[in-house]
Amino acid sequence: MHFDLKDLKLFVCAADEGSLTRAAERQHLSLAAASTRIKSLEAQSGQALLYREARGVRLTPPGEAFLHHARGVLRQVDQLRFDLQEYSGGLRGHVRVYANTTAVTDFLPEILPGFLSNNPRVNVDLQEKPNTEIARGVLDGRADIGIVAGAVDMLNLQAIHFSTDRLVLVAPRSHPFAGRKSIAFADTLDEDAIGMNQHSTLQTFLAQVTEKLGKPLKLRIQLSSFDAMCRMIGAGVGVGIVPESAARRNQEVMGLALIELADAWCIRERYILVRDQNKLPPYAQSLIDTLCAHYGQSAPKV
């Protein structure tokens, strides 16, 4: 099937207006020309896409599906036009990064400003994704670079180790747990808990752990950043599992106690995932170098 973008715009407009006449006017077409274009779409798809009624048109079930995909195609075309305009304006590169919650909310906000300042003609498209989707996104080309932590199926991608992440239990200094050096995660489940939002990679992981333990977290509130979690914990609302770097950043000002977790999964190695490091453009390799240098590592050259 071969669809003209003008036909897709006409169809979306007809669906929005509920009228082929008004859609034709908006697209600067005669009613006869608009009707011919819609009939051509229907002939190519082999389905009736619109019900013609006395008061206008409405979508058939195949038309609903067609509308969904037509909107997606038009959005992609708009994004393509925007990206090309950026390149014509002097943009040199665009790096697409899929990363887990800790990366997006904790350390990338600290690292990326310097990278962007040193690379003024490079843009970074950063999206938070679950670990499994990060690897898949890099493999199928939706992302140039992935950042993951912990036990992840890396789908035979090239993995560059750049740091080690440790999860700790954070509690108010007045909490009974505050005097303990270490604790098993299972022993914390009777306490009121502060968590990240349910779509975060860390919260998804903890939900899998509690499912195996057969006992859920007693979540009082779920938030969108580790700093916000630390503020709630410091205020005495509950306890929470937080990356050690975020916990130490807030420890003194929030009055927090950090307790080591006895569980082996609290240690999570961090990796950068790429399809083929040799085929990355220089600006993408520069971002990898910046990440590794921040943690005192050297990115391997392959």
Side-chain angles (χ1 to χ4, degrees):
M1 293 182 288
H2 301 282
F3 298 119
D4 185 282
L5 291 177
K6 193 167 186 178
D7 292 347
L8 296 183
K9 290 179 181 177
L10 174 65
F11 181 81
V12 171
C13 189
D16 290 342
E17 292 285 348
S19 167
L20 190 55
T21 300
R22 289 194 294 271
E25 291 172 354
R26 283 181 54 183
Q27 296 299 310
H28 307 291
L29 295 168
S30 69
L31 179 58
S35 180
T36 299
R37 285 178 176 270
I38 295 297
K39 287 177 180 178
S40 176
L41 285 179
E42 292 179 316
Q44 288 194 67
S45 64
Q47 302 279 347
L49 303 176
L50 295 173
Y51 292 119
R52 277 78 170 174
E53 300 175 336
R55 296 184 177 180
V57 296
R58 62 185 176 90
L59 295 168
T60 65
E64 295 278 3
F66 191 91
L67 177 65
H68 170 75
H69 291 290
R71 290 192 193 280
V73 169
L74 293 174
R75 280 196 299 270
Q76 288 182 325
V77 170
D78 287 342
Q79 186 62 52
L80 172 61
R81 185 179 296 112
F82 176 76
D83 288 348
L84 290 178
Q85 286 172 348
E86 285 197 313
Y87 279 102
S88 67
L91 185 70
R92 185 169 60 89
H94 190 95
V95 189
R96 299 164 300 166
V97 181
Y98 280 9
N100 64 7
T101 304
T102 304
V104 170
T105 63
D106 192 40
F107 62 84
L108 284 178
E110 180 181 353
I111 296 170
L112 285 178
F115 172 81
L116 293 170
S117 177
N118 293 331
N119 297 271
R121 294 172 59 198
V122 176
N123 283 355
V124 176
D125 176 7
L126 174 62
Q127 297 186 40
E128 181 181 344
K129 299 287 184 180
N131 275 326
T132 52
E133 191 173 336
I134 292 169
R136 180 61 59 186
V138 174
L139 184 66
D140 65 21
R142 285 176 291 145
D144 304 300
I145 293 171
I147 300 175
V148 298
V152 180
D153 183 355
M154 299 183 185
L155 304 178
N156 295 317
L157 295 164
Q158 293 181 0
I160 303 164
H161 180 267
F162 68 97
S163 69
T164 300
D165 179 27
R166 179 191 294 270
L167 296 174
V168 297
L169 178 73
V170 180
R173 287 178 179 167
S174 58
H175 194 279
F177 288 162
R180 301 183 60 164
K181 181 179 180 181
S182 68
I183 192 169
F185 177 63
D187 294 337
T188 72
L189 297 180
D190 289 328
E191 300 295 316
D192 288 337
I194 311 301
M196 289 288 283
N197 68 76
Q198 62 180 348
H199 300 298
S200 74
T201 50
L202 176 57
Q203 207 60 39
T204 299
F205 171 75
L206 292 177
Q208 294 169 348
V209 174
T210 56
E211 184 177 0
K212 291 178 182 178
L213 293 172
K215 190 173 185 179
L217 282 166
K218 294 172 59 179
L219 286 167
R220 293 290 310 281
I221 188 170
Q222 292 178 264
L223 302 162
S224 60
S225 75
F226 295 120
D227 290 342
M229 282 184 64
C230 288
R231 284 196 294 273
M232 283 288 179
I233 294 167
V237 177
V239 301
I241 304 298
V242 176
E244 185 176 21
S245 57
R248 292 203 179 282
R249 184 171 62 244
N250 291 281
Q251 185 174 12
E252 292 305 319
V253 66
M254 301 297 173
L256 305 176
L258 278 58
I259 304 101
E260 293 181 8
L261 287 168
D263 307 80
W265 50 256
C266 75
I267 304 295
R268 305 194 305 169
E269 303 300 336
R270 291 173 175 161
Y271 294 92
I272 299 165
L273 303 182
V274 295
R275 291 185 300 281
D276 186 343
Q277 194 176 351
N278 282 325
K279 294 182 179 179
L280 288 175
Y283 49 83
Q285 180 60 52
S286 176
L287 178 56
I288 292 175
D289 292 339
T290 299
L291 276 167
C292 292
H294 182 81
Y295 290 98
Q297 304 288 328
S298 295
K301 301 296 187 283
V302 296

